[in-house]
Amino acid sequence: EVQLVESGGGLVHPGESLKLSCAASGFTFSAYRMHWVRQAPGKGLVWVSCIESYGGSTKYADSVKGRFTISRDNAKNTFYLQMNSLRAEDTAVYYCARDGGGLPYWGQGTLVTVSS
Amino acid sequence: QSALTQPRSVSGSPGQSVTISCTGSSNDVGAYNYVSWYQQHPGKAPKLVIYDVTKRPSGVPDRFSGSKSGNTASLTISGLQAEDETDYYCCSYAGTYFVFGGGTKLTVL
């Protein structure tokens, strides 16, 4: 059974940093592109970033480019989102998701709150 | 990186069909056959219902179908059921990024 479990969310002040993790199991992690998608309270889904299976290529939404960094450790079946210079508008539930014909598998989400 | 355009809401009676549109541009929806659709119930993670414009994942009822014409993709739900009432999002690959639509709330009357 495919499982994706996010961790690392919490309450931070504007300008601070936070690192999210997504632990994967039930599939060959190294074979799949992985994504982060966020959803602000009461708002829609917004794609944030993705990383190719081998980790060499990454993509970012303009709203996070230069502030967020996606990475992965295929040996640990885990990928990450390092979020720096956080802003109030980054407040959201962050989901990790696996690629493979759309995004067929999602985690349960982790809440990041940026507030002073 | 502009969000894809979806109607804020659509509605239909049980048993009827509804179609949700998703309009992008020649850089995203019009350029690639990588449009997917997601159903999201409140407080839950999204669920994939259509991928690659027209393909349906295993376990998704054949009442759900997808299509595309030019820069606009569409999700059609036929034989509406009460449990279909929730939010739906489209998503497209755009070469150097992915982009979601703003979401559509489906009401079953």
Side-chain angles (χ1 to χ4, degrees), chain B residues 9-75:
Chain B
S9 64
V10 297
S11 63
S13 300
Q16 289 187 332
S17 295
V18 294
T19 297
I20 301 172
S21 61
C22 170
T23 301
S25 72
S26 58
N27 296 319
D28 39 59
V29 174
Y32 305 95
N33 288 323
Y34 294 130
V35 176
S36 50
W37 290 90
Y38 301 86
Q39 176 191 66
Q40 187 183 33
H41 288 282
K44 300 293 188 181
K47 173 189 174 183
L48 177 69
V49 294
I50 292 289
Y51 68 98
D52 294 353
V53 179
T54 62
K55 298 176 182 176
R56 201 170 46 250
S58 174
V60 174
D62 60 6
R63 302 186 295 105
F64 291 82
S65 62
S67 63
K68 189 183 85 168
S69 177
N71 297 336
T72 298
S74 299
L75 172 70

Side-chain angles (χ1 to χ4, degrees), chain A residues 33 35 37 39 43-47 50 58-63 65 95 99-109, chain B residues 1 35-36 38 40-41 43-48 50-52 57 87 89 91 93 95-103:
Chain A
R33 177 167 57 191
H35 298 253
V37 177
Q39 187 169 35
K43 303 297 184 181
L45 300 172
V46 176
W47 178 81
C50 71
T58 58
K59 296 179 173 61
Y60 298 93
D62 284 347
S63 58
K65 203 172 294 183
Y95 293 100
D99 207 307
L103 303 177
Y105 297 102
W106 295 66
Q108 82 287 353
Chain B
Q1 294 188 4
V35 176
S36 50
Y38 301 86
Q40 187 183 33
H41 288 282
K44 300 293 188 181
K47 173 189 174 183
L48 177 69
I50 292 289
Y51 68 98
D52 294 353
D87 297 324
Y89 296 88
C91 179
Y93 177 64
T96 57
Y97 60 95
F98 289 77
V99 60
F100 279 91

Side-chain angles (χ1 to χ4, degrees), chain A residues 5-6 10 13 20-21 34 41 43 45-46 48 50 56 58 69 77 79 84 87 90 97 106 108-109 113:
Chain A
V5 180
E6 302 96 338
H13 299 299
L20 305 183
S21 300
M34 302 298 295
K43 303 297 184 181
L45 300 172
V46 176
V48 174
C50 71
T58 58
T69 301
N77 288 351
F79 76 114
N84 298 333
R87 307 166 179 167
D90 295 318
W106 295 66
Q108 82 287 353
T113 303

Side-chain angles (χ1 to χ4, degrees), chain A residues 2 4 8-9 12 27 37 39 54 57 71 82 90 94 105 107:
Chain A
V2 172
L4 298 171
V12 295
F27 64 99
V37 177
Q39 187 169 35
Y54 53 89
S57 177
S71 61
Q82 175 67 48
D90 295 318
Y94 285 74
Y105 297 102

